[in-house]
Amino acid sequence: MRLLVLGGTGFVGGATVAEAVRRGWSVTVFNRGLHGSTPSGVHRLRGDRTAPDGLAALAGGAWDLVVDTWDSAPRAVRDAARALVGTVPHYAYISSGSVYAPPVPAHVGEEATTVDATADAVDGDYAQCKAGGELAATEVYGERALLVRAGLILGPGEDIGRLPWWLQRVARGGDVLAPGPVDLPLQYIDVRDLVGWTLDRAAEGIGGAFNVTSRPGHATMGELLDSVLAVTGSGATLRWTEPERILDAGVVPWNDLPIWIPPRHEFRWLQERGVQKAYAAGLNCRPVTETVADTWRWLGAVGSVPPRAGKQRRVTVGLDPAREVALLTA
């Protein structure tokens, strides 16, 4: 199988390349060549897809499928798809569950309305850019476009730092603010399960939109933090605290306490999406213990969360230590 990855050095793109190489596929990446590296044997084409004639390096290429991880101006997806449609039969676009238009119901399915967006837009927020990217891929490829609406992505290589923050915080030891309830269901996807499913379905020529994330409750907040405690070997103590007390203190779910979205919160739907379609199409998700252990091993090897390829560094996630102490001693 001949694979073209647009990007290929970031979190999801890098995992896509690694999995394709593991399968013995012929892999080409196309990017500006400014960030990251690629495994031995991967062919690297350089170009800036936002510049005039920036896609010239793709001319004359022949691939069986393309995976595109772009999350900025939708016009760049449209232009790339137009450049490739004559020679590449299938286009897989890594989108996001964030594309759904609010208010989003729990267990939202792929048929739900998405945010207003256009295929030729040159800017927009994250949801608009991903929704516009979907429109662009579909406009050019039609039913041959696979739209992968990923959930919260965790695992080795994570460049946001959500799971790494919990690992590093628990590793420091002491009393750890553990946001309840302990049995809060989590929904996420290990990056390796995401890209494995994507490559399988793209190779089969499957098209359409899929919510690609685990079932709600694949793990709980308690199981996640217990796994973190075990793998780090820390003597930390998890101090489980009711959501109301945490929220009343101004703590922001998802950002201050990564991964955590309490019951009845306005963004709770982010961990309650409908996934029947993806599971029917072969999605399998590894246990949380494996994701946590492998992320800890990777983090120990690299030392710190890497910068996001081609992007400005985001505001650091995780609760300030002084605020954590204040909450625990209040």
Side-chain angles (χ1 to χ4, degrees), residues 228-252:
V228 170
L229 196 63
V231 77
T232 59
S234 169
T237 299
L238 300 178
R239 294 277 300 278
W240 289 99
T241 306
E242 60 274 15
E244 293 74 18
R245 181 180 168 197
I246 296 173
L247 296 174
D248 288 346
V251 173
V252 179

Side-chain angles (χ1 to χ4, degrees), residues 12-87:
V12 176
T16 302
V17 170
E19 173 60 17
V21 169
R22 187 192 68 79
R23 296 179 179 202
W25 290 9
S26 171
V27 182
T28 300
V29 299
F30 171 84
N31 53 49
R32 293 179 299 171
L34 302 178
H35 304 275
S37 59
T38 54
S40 176
V42 172
H43 184 46
R44 193 163 188 175
L45 300 175
R46 296 194 177 190
D48 183 349
R49 63 192 295 175
T50 65
D53 298 323
L55 298 169
L58 298 177
W63 299 279
D64 300 304
L65 60 95
V66 57
V67 173
D68 189 355
T69 63
W70 186 254
D71 63 0
S72 296
R75 179 176 294 182
V77 177
R78 184 202 62 184
D79 293 346
R82 286 178 175 176
L84 295 167
V85 68
T87 56

Side-chain angles (χ1 to χ4, degrees), residues 143-311:
E143 294 181 354
R144 293 182 293 147
L146 175 63
L147 310 178
V148 182
R149 293 176 179 168
L152 168 64
I153 309 173
L154 303 176
E158 187 199 333
D159 55 7
I160 301 298
R162 294 187 175 101
L163 181 53
W165 183 84
W166 279 113
L167 285 160
Q168 292 171 330
R169 170 61 196 93
V170 170
R172 289 203 312 268
D175 286 350
V176 176
L177 178 66
V182 66
D183 61 352
L184 178 72
L186 301 181
Q187 185 181 47
Y188 66 92
I189 185 76
D190 186 296
V191 67
R192 296 163 294 181
D193 298 329
L194 171 69
V195 302
W197 184 91
T198 298
L199 293 179
D200 285 343
R201 302 294 81 77
E204 294 169 355
I206 301 297
F210 291 81
N211 289 336
V212 185
T213 189
S214 70
R215 292 187 175 94
H218 178 72
T220 64
M221 200 70 202
E223 290 167 343
L224 174 74
L225 294 189
D226 283 346
S227 296
V228 170
L229 196 63
V231 77
T232 59
S234 169
T237 299
L238 300 178
R239 294 277 300 278
W240 289 99
T241 306
E242 60 274 15
E244 293 74 18
R245 181 180 168 197
I246 296 173
L247 296 174
D248 288 346
V251 173
V252 179
W254 196 260
N255 294 327
D256 290 338
L257 291 173
I259 302 173
W260 178 68
I261 304 178
R264 296 176 295 281
H265 191 275
E266 63 177 314
F267 296 128
R268 181 62 199 163
W269 66 269
L270 287 169
Q271 295 193 346
E272 295 180 342
R273 285 170 240 184
V275 293
Q276 296 88 342
K277 187 178 178 183
Y279 271 85
L283 179 63
N284 287 296
C285 295
R286 70 193 66 206
V288 67
T289 51
E290 185 175 335
T291 298
V292 169
D294 290 347
T295 303
W296 178 242
R297 188 177 302 110
W298 161 79
L299 191 60
V302 300
S304 62
V305 175
R308 302 177 66 226
K311 299 289 183 180

